[in-house]
Amino acid sequence: TEASLEACFKKKGNPNNKSKWVSILKKKKIKANNNHNFKIQTNSIFTHIKLNIFPDGGVARLRIFGEIALEKLISVLFHTT
């Protein structure tokens, strides 16, 4: 089984078919009944994360850890830069 992550930024509402998703984690091999930790380096701001599983299957839980970049988010939302 393999998994990948994609992310997008949406000012309002939920992503739709016009949303631009970017790959933040390329396909990685994963095993059932195991914890998998991946470090992702980016300076981008995201509001939504999408988990892709190959082939389709179940995932018990997905935990995403990160930092809230409040000043950067405010400048993007209100064009203060």
Side-chain angles (χ1 to χ4, degrees):
T1 304
E2 295 179 313
S4 69
L5 291 174
E6 294 176 289
C8 77
F9 177 83
K10 190 84 165 137
K11 285 186 181 182
K12 293 182 180 179
N14 291 318
N16 55 36
N17 59 355
K18 293 181 181 178
S19 299
K20 182 181 177 192
W21 291 91
V22 295
S23 176
I24 58 172
L25 180 69
K26 294 183 181 187
K27 282 186 184 180
K28 300 285 184 183
K29 290 190 183 263
I30 58 173
K31 295 181 183 179
N33 302 314
N34 283 278
N35 290 329
H36 299 86
N37 298 300
F38 303 104
K39 189 170 187 171
I40 298 169
Q41 298 286 349
T42 183
N43 290 325
S44 298
I45 296 175
F46 302 113
T47 56
H48 296 79
I49 304 288
K50 183 182 349 180
L51 171 65
N52 301 304
I53 299 291
F54 309 95
D56 286 343
V59 171
R61 54 187 71 74
L62 172 66
R63 293 183 184 157
I64 304 288
F65 298 96
E67 298 176 6
I68 298 173
L70 191 55
E71 289 179 19
K72 193 171 181 181
L73 181 59
I74 288 170
S75 74
V76 169
L77 289 174
F78 299 107
H79 305 289
T80 61
T81 57

